Amino acid sequence: DISGVREFQSDCAVRGETLHALPRIAALYCLSGLLILSLANLFFRIPSIALISVYLSLIISCLFVMYDTQLIVEKKRLGDNDFIWHSVDLFIDFIIIFKIDDHLD
């Protein structure tokens, strides 16, 4: 339903929450797909399923980077100027991405 999506976007656009909400929703769908792929890989042992699950994990991690970035922007807007912890949050997200990338080799 396109009108429902437009209403959601207009409601969230008041405070710029569209980018804040979409990574959480997309990550939920990707995590569900990752769970299904992992269960399928337990039974069928198809190498392409394992590769798809690695790429899906990479997408999820990128969505978490988007979410944390928007969270940092919102915290800064509310007056939280602790840039060291903000950097640590993003650093941990990027470490996870490089750890997943290491599984591709």
Side-chain angles (χ1 to χ4, degrees), residues 8 12-13 15-25 63 65-71 73:
F8 174 74
C12 292
R15 287 187 35 219
E17 293 178 351
T18 304
L19 186 60
H20 188 68
L22 289 179
R24 289 188 294 179
I25 294 168
L63 289 170
V65 168
M66 288 174 53
Y67 174 75
D68 283 345
T69 302
Q70 187 61 34
L71 195 63
V73 168

Side-chain angles (χ1 to χ4, degrees), residues 37-52:
L37 281 175
S38 297
L39 289 174
N41 196 25
L42 275 172
F43 295 112
F44 301 118
R45 302 275 187 201
I46 301 172
S48 61
I49 291 179
L51 188 62
I52 290 171

